[in-house]
Amino acid sequence: MTVLDFESAAQFLLSHDRYTIVCHAAPDADTVGSAAALVLLLRKKGKTAAAFCPDAIPERLAVFAGDGIFTGDPERCDTLVSVDVATPAMLGNMRDLLPPFDLSIDHHTVNTVKCENLLIKSGYISNCEIIAALYDQLSVGIDREAAKPLYAGICSDSGGFRYMNTRPETMRLAARLMETGIDAPEICRQLFDRLSPATLALLKAAYNSFELFYGGKLAIVTVSREEFDESGATDADLDEVKSVPRRIAGVEVSALIRPNAQGTQVSLRSNDYFDVAAVCQGFGGGGHVRAAGFHIDGTPEQAREMLIKALDGKL
């Protein structure tokens, strides 16, 4: 595997064709926005490109996917690229079906997907920042069509520019994107202010299960399999639920524990100082310093006990 810089990544993009850009499963605005904007960039350079997502794109994110972009087929392309995919587990049911990527573009702290080439910028708050930098590297102007998904990804992964790893460069790029004429307030409303009935049901379950540990520094919410199934939710409905426990004053680490098809998924967030990625790596997961996750084959109850034990004396 070869680690690329922006210049060599741009040369890679120019020297290949017939692309399929792959998002992670349970898509969020950053992976969808990255894929859509990269497809648009490649098409502007005369390449054949389309995007593919292992899961259906939820309704609230469909507006950022663009028209005629998510039509890709990983089996019928010459060049396979992943965006915002840090681990094989993030590919969901496709994790064992996809060949190694020709290029992986990522902003997580650690990337363990199988790939021939890797462009990774862990200091960037969103993967869309990396895609925007590739536009600049390839001397392609970012028009309004590309600015919309890029702004959505940046806004989403920065928590509306609230998270501590939002850089001055992030804000300058956001201003550039706004200058194309996108409706930035509407994008924020679409991301943060519109809840599906499934999300509302999960929020109720989350608040009902709220627990505090270690002097209020660890907050855990648990969604049972019955609650998850009854809500009709998918993993894509959980973004708003993940932020619930971190909002409580005094909480440093928050956890959402919920079932999935293979067992139990744990999503961790931290507010100020704690490296949740390090904890998740101990369980075979990963992510960012302030946002990470891991999976176990056991039950939510088992995951809860494992997490409480792992954080004993560390907060």
Side-chain angles (χ1 to χ4, degrees), residues 152-212:
I154 293 167
C155 188
S156 174
D157 264 29
S158 67
F161 308 104
R162 293 173 297 162
Y163 298 161
M164 65 176 297
N165 51 340
T166 301
R167 306 175 301 146
E169 293 87 350
T170 306
M171 304 303 290
R172 285 191 282 269
L173 174 57
R176 270 181 64 194
L177 300 176
M178 290 177 68
E179 287 169 353
T180 66
I182 60 172
D183 189 343
E186 173 58 23
I187 290 173
C188 290
R189 286 192 291 271
Q190 184 73 16
L191 291 172
F192 302 120
D193 295 340
R194 290 172 184 160
L195 302 179
S196 68
T199 299
L200 191 60
L202 291 178
L203 282 170
K204 180 180 178 180
Y207 280 111
N208 285 339
S209 71
F210 198 92
E211 298 178 285
L212 290 173

Side-chain angles (χ1 to χ4, degrees), residues 10-28:
Q11 289 303 313
F12 175 95
L13 295 176
L14 290 174
S15 61
H16 294 73
D17 203 353
R18 298 189 68 242
Y19 286 90
T20 292
I21 313 302
V22 179
C23 296
H24 61 68
D28 58 16

